[in-house]
């Protein structure tokens, strides 16, 4: 396979996901470009989280192929055919992806610094000093240089989420996934987390995929917005366009409901 | 010869008789333990001094081996002129030991009944004895039946300790048979299997009971 | 009960032992009883070590092992929980020689009690591991850790904290069941109390002293485990630690 600059960073190709008889994602096609920032919006239960979790290999897929950086992730090529991926292959592709969870999922028995050096040391095999330097830089980046020695329980929700972002970044991913990273936070704490994401977007060459309910943020930050409805992308486009003049009726309904709620 | 069937058939009736002793000891002790446990639980919740004494007693019993408690009763009671046969002394020791465990279970059950139930009865001018007996206990007992059931099984598995004071229950009988015939494999293995089967059956029964009780309380 | 009141109880028990030992001729029982207590402690400590190891191994096999190991673990747990500790000891002690397997009584004691308590411990370990939130596993996947790395560095340390109190109870159970080894000819504390009683007939002081010694050992375990729990929770719970 040859390197091509314009091949997408992530490609969902006819991806289907079912839970029992419930089809959550119905042969989804979605390309995400290198360095692109894509916001996913949509009503509850429309499959937004599922998209991210499948990309993070937290869920098996029932059909289709996910490509990452030009390589099939869920499958691998063997004798010219695509076969389901082995653990080793998954691990290699997974190293390009980082994820931040709605409920942080920090390791409660480790300090902020401990959380950030754990995987670099055990997975990447960095020596402690190097891992600590990297973690300290990242904690500074998210504005928590002073809180290195604090345990998650000693941090506010916003601070915990910023540690979680630093932890994911410490693995130097090319793609970052954010699943409603502010929805477990009090409104006044959302700002600090969004600020960090903004900074990441402008300073780093990361591909970002975020599920969010914060339309304002999506509008200002994303290059593209995808509206999900019942496991399908109902409408997508530039934020200005999609938010001001949605074409699809469902999108209109959804945006109206969201705006009313605010 | 690894397993002697002739010998097995010969000792089975003897072991069956011993099994009856084991089962008698189990149920008799458990019955007393249930009553004693309730008394201890009530004592622990009544008044600071009585409560503390009862708690200390429970703590002491739960912190020391059942075997030495059996010896203690068996050898000490005669000092006070109370001469008991081994079976009775053993039953008393088992009852006290498990009574203390049961008291913990009762306490948890009683504490789980909402305070409002007591208050409602006070408001209705029902006497506290009546409240306890007719209102509180009927609510406290069903949720703790499985926990008590587990102690029944535990008690059953502790009855072999009575062999230490020569009560002819299953294990002592097996031991005697073994030393008479210079062959322990069959009697000890049979006893082991008997315990295994009975405990597994009881475990299933308790799980069944638990499900039934849960279903009722959800409704 | 909190650590201070447990410590007070421990002190009271120690004083009671000292007072009882000093009164009358009771002092002559002390060397024998202490010797027995020392053996009890040794069996309990080695037995607890064995119990923790087998419990962890059995739980891991049951949760993550291939089918044959899983079945082996289930059988082990159900078998040892289903039969009584004394039957297991007697079986090891009386029946194995029929098959030409002879073991030191100490080995029999440690093996019997350790495996017995280990079977109960396996369920504690399993519960502890399963009690760790799923999000923790997901975070380790997102950080590309292997399952074994996740288990060792993230899941087990958290499960450990939740397992401390139930293990404290199991250690006490094991300590108490060491008394059973007196029935397979070992001179532990219970055995010493019995023999001293047989030839002196000073039943009440001897057995009271022995009971108090067991109480001291149990309380030591309880206090130790409480301390361990508090120490491992440091930082993990709001309002504690730094
Ligand atoms: N483990 C599961 N088992 C069964 N059904 C599931 C499971 N996980 C998700 N689902 C279902 O899949 C659908 C999509 O879920 P998903 O979490 O992707 O929704 P979402 O768009 O993220 O919603 P929200 O905005 O509420 O987070 C839902 O209908 C949900 O009930
Ligand atoms: Mg979601």
């Amino acid at each position: 396979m040859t390197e091509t600059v314009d091949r997408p960073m992530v490609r969902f190709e006819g991806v289907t996901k079912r839970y029992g008889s419930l089809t959550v994602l119905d042969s989804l096609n979605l390309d995400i470009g290198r360095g692109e920032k894509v916001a996913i919006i949509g009503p509850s239960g429309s499959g937004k989280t599922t998209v991210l979790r499948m990309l993070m290999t937290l869920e098996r897929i029932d059909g289709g192929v996910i490509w990452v950086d030009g390589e099939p992730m869920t499958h691998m090529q063997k004798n010219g055919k695509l076969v389901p991926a082995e653990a080793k292959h998954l691990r290699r592709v997974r190293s390009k992806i980082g994820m931040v969870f709605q409920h942080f999922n920090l390791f409660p028995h480790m300090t902020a610094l401990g959380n950030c050096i754990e995987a670099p040391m055990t997975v990447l095999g960095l020596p402690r000093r190097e891992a600590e330097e990297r973690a300290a830089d990242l904690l500074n980046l998210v504005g928590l240089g002073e809180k290195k020695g604090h345990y998650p329980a000693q941090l506010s929700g916003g601070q915990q989420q910023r540690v979680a972002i630093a932890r994911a970044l410490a693995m130097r991913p090319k793609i970052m996934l954010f699943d409603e990273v502010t929805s477990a936070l009090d409104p006044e704490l959302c700002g600090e987390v969004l600020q960090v994401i903004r900074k990441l977007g402008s300073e780093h060459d990361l591909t970002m995929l975020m599920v969010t309910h914060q339309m304002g943020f999506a509008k200002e930050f994303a290059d593209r917005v995808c509206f999900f409805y019942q496991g399908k992308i109902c409408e997508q486009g530039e934020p200005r366009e999609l938010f001001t003049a949605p074409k699809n009726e469902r999108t209109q309904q959804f945006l109206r409901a969201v705006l009313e709620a605010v | 010869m690894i397993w002697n069937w002739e010998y097995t058939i010969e000792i089975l009736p003897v072991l069956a008789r011993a099994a009856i002793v084991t089962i008698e000891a189990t149920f008799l002790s458990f019955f007393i333990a249930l009553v004693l446990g309730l008394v201890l639980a009530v004592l622990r919740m009544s008044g600071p001094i009585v409560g503390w004494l009862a708690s200390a007693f429970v703590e002491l019993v739960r912190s020391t081996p059942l075997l030495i408690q059996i010896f203690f009763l068996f050898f000490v009671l005669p000092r006070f002129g109370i001469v008991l046969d081994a079976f009775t002394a053993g039953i008393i020791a088992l009852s006290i030991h498990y009574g203390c465990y049961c008291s913990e279970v009762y306490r948890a059950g009683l504490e789980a009944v909402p305070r409002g139930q007591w208050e409602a009865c006070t408001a209705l001018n029902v006497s506290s004895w009546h409240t306890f007996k007719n209102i509180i206990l009927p609510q406290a007992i069903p949720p703790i039946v499985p926990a008590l059931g587990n102690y029944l099984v535990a008690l059953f598995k502790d009855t072999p300790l009575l062999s230490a004071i020569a009560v002819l229950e299953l294990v002592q009988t097996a031991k005697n048979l073994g030393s008479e015939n210079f062959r322990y494999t069959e009697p000890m293995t049979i006893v082991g299997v008997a315990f295994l089967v009975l405990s597994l059956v009881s475990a299933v029964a308790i799980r069944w009971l638990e499900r039934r009780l849960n279903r009722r309380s959800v409704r | 009960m909190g650590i201070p009141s447990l410590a007070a109880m421990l002190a009271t028990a120690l004083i009671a032992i000292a007072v009882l030992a000093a009164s009358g001729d009771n002092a002559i029982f002390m060397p024998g009883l202490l010797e027995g207590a020392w053996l009890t402690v040794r069996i309990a400590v080695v037995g607890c070590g064995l119990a923790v190891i087998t419990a962890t191994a059995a739980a891991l096999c049951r949760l993550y092992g291939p089918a044959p190991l899983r079945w082996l673990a289930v059988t082990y747990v159900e078998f040892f929980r289903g039969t009584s500790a004394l039957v297991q000891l007697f079986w090891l002690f009386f029946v194995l020689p029929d098959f030409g397997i002879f073991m030191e009584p100490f080995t029999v004691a440690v093996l019997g009690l350790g495996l017995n308590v280990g079977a109960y411990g396996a369920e504690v370990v399993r519960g502890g591991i399963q009690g760790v939130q799923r999000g923790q596993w997901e975070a380790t996947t997102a950080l590309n850790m292997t399952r074994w790395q996740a288990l060792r560095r993230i899941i087990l340390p958290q499960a450990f904290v939740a397992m401390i109190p139930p293990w404290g109870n199991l250690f006490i159970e094991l300590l108490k069941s060491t008394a059973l080894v007196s029935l397979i000819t070992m001179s532990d504390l219970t055995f010493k109390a019995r023999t001293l009683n047989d030839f002196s007939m000073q039943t009440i002081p001897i057995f009271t002293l022995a009971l108090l010694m067991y109480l001291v050992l149990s309380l030591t375990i309880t206090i130790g485990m409480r301390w361990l729990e508090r120490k491992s929770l440091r930082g993990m719970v709001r309002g504690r630690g730094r």
Side-chain angles (χ1 to χ4, degrees), chain A residues 7 16 21 28 35 44 61-62 68 89 119 124 152 158 162 165 169 174 183 187 204 208 239 252 255 262:
Chain A
R7 80 181 174 214
T16 300
S21 60
L28 171 77
S44 183
I61 65 174
D62 300 309
V68 172
H89 176 82
L124 305 181
R162 285 186 280 154
I165 293 174
L169 289 174
K174 295 185 175 177
S183 53
H204 293 255
M208 295 194 193
Q252 291 163 5
L255 288 175
V262 174

Side-chain angles (χ1 to χ4, degrees), chain A residues 53 91 106 118 154, chain C residues 136 138 144 153 238 242:
Chain A
R53 289 174 59 84
R91 271 171 58 74
L106 288 180
E118 180 59 30
Q154 298 161 337
Chain C
Q136 294 290 314
E138 295 183 347
N144 214 3
R153 301 280 310 163
R238 250 176 202 265
R242 183 167 7 183

Side-chain angles (χ1 to χ4, degrees), chain C residues 38-49:
Chain C
W38 175 231
L39 180 62
T40 295
V41 168
R42 269 170 25 225
I43 295 173
V45 168
V46 183
C48 286

Side-chain angles (χ1 to χ4, degrees), chain B residues 16-114:
Chain B
R17 241 169 292 138
I20 294 176
V21 177
T22 291
I23 290 170
E24 266 175 13
T26 304
F27 283 105
L28 209 54
S29 314
F30 191 63
F31 177 73
I32 304 174
L34 282 181
V35 178
L36 186 67
L38 187 56
V39 172
L40 280 169
V42 172
L43 284 181
R44 288 175 79 176
M45 296 196 302
S46 53
I49 296 173
V50 181
W52 188 87
L53 281 175
S55 294
F57 177 74
V58 169
E59 202 54 44
L60 178 69
V61 171
R62 281 163 31 110
S63 307
T64 52
L66 171 60
L67 184 61
I68 200 159
Q69 290 164 11
I70 293 175
F71 285 144
F72 189 84
L73 281 179
F74 190 56
F75 294 118
V76 168
L77 285 182
R79 307 253 123 191
F80 296 100
I82 308 169
V83 181
L84 296 172
D85 60 299
F87 184 80
T88 316
I91 297 280
I92 295 176
L94 276 172
S95 314
I96 292 177
H97 194 80
Y98 278 92
C100 287
Y101 278 98
C102 290
S103 84
E104 287 279 296
V105 178
Y106 280 120
R107 199 168 61 138
L110 290 172
E111 278 171 1
V113 177

